[in-house]
Amino acid sequence: MEALEASEIYLKTPRVKPHLGLTRVSALLDALGHPEEGLACIHIAGTNGKGSTAVFLEKILLEAGYRVGRYNSPELLTVNERILFGGEPIADGELSALFAALEEPVRRAEAVCQEKISPFEMWTAAAFRYFREKQCDYVVLETGMGGAEDATNVLVYPYLTILTRISLDHTAYLGQTLTEIARVKAGIIKEGCVTRTVLSAPQVPEVAAVIREEAEKRGNTVTFIDPPPPKKHYRMHEVLFYPGYGDIRVGLPGVYQIENAYLALTAAKILGITIFPAQCGITFARHPARMEILRENPLLLFDGGHNPGGIDALMASLDRYLGKDTARTVIYAAMADKDSSACLARLAASPTKFLFTEVSDNPRALPYGELLRRAEEQGIRGEGYPTLREALARAEEIGLPTIVCGSLYLYADFSDLLSRSVDPKRR
């Protein structure tokens, strides 16, 4: 089966307006015989860092010899990437079979709740069924949006709960303040958590207070990690010291990965993982589109940071590795529902040549002309290009270190240009 056919399975699922809640997915899982029950799920919520933390932990568990599933979104290139087993995306044939098996349960569930099941709810149910069939020892499960009413939150007995950094994002759905958003994210904390443990990244005081309150309310112990400050680094890879595991070269570039790696290592400690798998998992983890170095000289780097918190993390890394006053070219695109103005203000803090473009074939994409207008309102000058190809060609002419960022969805446009624009050796 061609990969395109697998994609069509997703494209043909009913498109309804995104709305949160557990009624529909619960009805679907009931029709499927509750495949989520009995899975040892490590549930991860947060605003930034979910994906990297999940990848680190997945790799550690694989190195330790466990059968591991991982569920994440959005995909970068193919929908198969949403459901992984053993670190590999689900095969087209298995994906087809999963969705074929969902047809009748979806009809029954929709008849019960008198609502259409959303695509994300279908994917979540399909993932649980697949992981059950594969007899996973552990499932690393990322929330899609929020926490309390995210489809993944049907879990009654998660094995371990992890919260990455929480900041403002998806405010139309999750709340207008950090406290409101933190309450939603902390909704994944459960009385039935097997380890009764919540691991959290460092949080601002109002967020930390909410997490403590929700954990105490549900009989969980919360641990806020205290990662060491950055010290040594090799090119753009940090060297992290973790008690009991020693010095570890972090496989994902970026100073902010210290925090994500530390979260994963703390989880590994709770799970009883020994030194060698823990070290190998952190060092050999790979996660495309997160400060992915595509060429070293001159630098060409892609980062999926798409909200102010993500851009702050990117800028901290660029300032550390390039120097705050080093001129650079930024190719930027954004979704219309993101705070692009705040992101641009952060990116403009260093000498920057802006090239604006837009994500192709995505109804949520912000037109590059609107990006130009928003930038000009802040006194930021740039050039606009209708396609990423044209923006990259201009960046090549400029010859500065080039950063492509603003949306994970832009990575799909980037993929077919890599062989012509980038060295084949990708880090």
Side-chain angles (χ1 to χ4, degrees):
M1 176 182 290
E2 296 294 327
L4 178 60
E5 292 182 52
S7 299
E8 287 174 349
I9 296 170
Y10 173 63
L11 294 172
K12 289 177 181 177
T13 52
R15 293 293 180 150
V16 297
K17 183 179 179 180
H19 53 300
L20 301 173
L22 303 180
T23 302
R24 296 172 302 279
V25 70
S26 296
L28 179 53
L29 289 168
D30 190 50
L32 287 168
H34 288 285
E36 80 282 7
E37 293 180 354
L39 291 173
C41 293
I42 300 165
H43 205 184
I44 305 176
T47 306
N48 295 304
K50 296 195 303 289
S52 296
T53 302
V55 165
F56 281 132
L57 189 51
E58 173 195 45
K59 187 62 174 173
I60 289 171
L61 292 168
L62 288 172
E63 291 288 340
Y66 291 108
R67 298 171 63 85
V68 185
R70 177 163 64 90
Y71 181 56
N72 69 117
S73 63
E75 70 278 1
L76 291 175
L77 302 178
T78 70
V79 292
N80 309 59
E81 299 165 17
R82 288 175 170 241
I83 300 174
L84 301 98
F85 173 71
E88 296 296 327
I90 184 171
D92 289 338
E94 291 178 303
L95 186 59
S96 297
L98 266 182
F99 272 82
L102 276 185
E103 289 181 10
E104 179 56 30
V106 164
R107 280 194 287 270
R108 283 188 278 131
E110 290 180 343
V112 168
C113 59
Q114 294 296 297
E115 290 185 77
K116 285 289 186 183
I117 307 295
S118 75
F120 185 72
E121 289 160 346
M122 290 184 200
W123 274 92
T124 302
F128 283 135
R129 179 168 181 147
Y130 182 69
F131 297 144
R132 187 70 171 268
E133 290 172 355
K134 291 294 186 181
Q135 298 180 321
C136 291
D137 299 310
Y138 289 103
V139 172
V140 182
L141 189 72
E142 289 182 53
T143 57
M145 181 190 294
E149 296 192 320
D150 184 79
T152 62
N153 204 35
V154 291
L155 296 174
V156 177
Y157 302 105
Y159 197 84
L160 177 65
T161 304
I162 299 177
L163 293 168
T164 64
R165 285 272 182 170
I166 294 173
S167 58
L168 291 174
D169 199 14
H170 297 299
T171 52
Y173 293 94
L174 307 181
Q176 298 296 315
T177 68
L178 274 177
T179 300
E180 290 172 335
I181 292 173
R183 190 81 58 188
V184 173
K185 303 278 187 184
I188 69 169
I189 300 171
K190 300 287 179 58
E191 284 185 16
C193 179
V194 175
T195 59
R196 291 190 173 275
T197 300
V198 179
L199 292 182
S200 175
Q203 308 285 359
V204 297
E206 60 265 43
V207 171
V210 170
I211 294 171
R212 288 193 188 94
E213 180 187 336
E214 295 298 324
E216 184 177 339
K217 193 186 302 181
R218 294 171 176 81
N220 282 240
T221 299
V222 60
T223 298
F224 291 94
I225 64 165
D226 184 22
K231 292 183 180 177
K232 295 185 294 183
H233 64 90
Y234 174 74
R235 294 181 179 171
M236 293 191 178
H237 295 267
E238 298 293 330
V239 177
L240 164 68
F241 174 78
Y242 190 94
Y245 292 142
D247 282 338
I248 307 173
R249 180 179 180 270
V250 180
L252 303 185
V255 66
Y256 58 90
Q257 294 295 359
I258 290 175
E259 187 174 290
N260 299 324
Y262 206 92
L263 263 178
L265 287 166
T266 306
K269 202 99 172 193
I270 291 170
L271 299 175
I273 306 297
T274 55
I275 293 175
F276 186 71
Q279 291 176 331
C280 289
I282 297 299
T283 297
F284 296 113
R286 295 294 179 265
H287 200 201
R290 279 73 174 181
M291 271 200 72
E292 184 177 2
I293 303 166
L294 302 160
R295 184 183 60 211
E296 291 196 357
N297 190 24
L299 178 69
L300 179 58
L301 180 151
F302 187 101
D303 187 76
H306 54 271
N307 54 41
I311 296 298
D312 282 341
L314 170 63
M315 289 296 288
S317 294
L318 294 177
D319 290 348
R320 175 165 167 79
Y321 306 132
L322 301 182
K324 184 175 177 61
D325 296 326
T326 299
R328 62 201 68 164
T329 298
V330 168
I331 299 175
Y332 184 83
M335 294 291 104
D337 57 345
K338 298 298 180 182
D339 189 357
S340 55
S341 295
C343 291
L344 290 173
R346 286 160 166 78
L347 288 165
S350 292
T352 302
K353 173 69 174 178
F354 281 99
L355 307 179
F356 299 111
T357 187
E358 60 189 67
V359 178
S360 65
D361 301 321
N362 192 313
R364 288 176 53 211
L366 189 66
Y368 73 92
E370 175 62 16
L371 272 174
L372 275 168
R373 188 191 67 78
R374 294 186 184 185
E376 287 172 359
E377 285 181 348
Q378 300 178 75
I380 297 171
R381 293 187 176 184
E383 300 173 13
Y385 295 91
T387 67
L388 178 60
R389 181 187 301 275
E390 293 167 272
L392 274 171
R394 174 62 176 137
E396 291 293 305
E397 292 175 357
I398 296 169
L400 295 172
T402 299
I403 318 302
V404 184
C405 63
S407 176
L408 277 172
Y409 291 107
L410 191 60
Y411 195 77
D413 295 345
F414 207 65
S415 63
D416 69 331
L417 305 176
L418 296 183
S419 61
R420 289 182 289 276
S421 302
V422 184
D423 290 344
K425 189 179 292 184
R426 294 168 63 189
R427 305 184 76 81

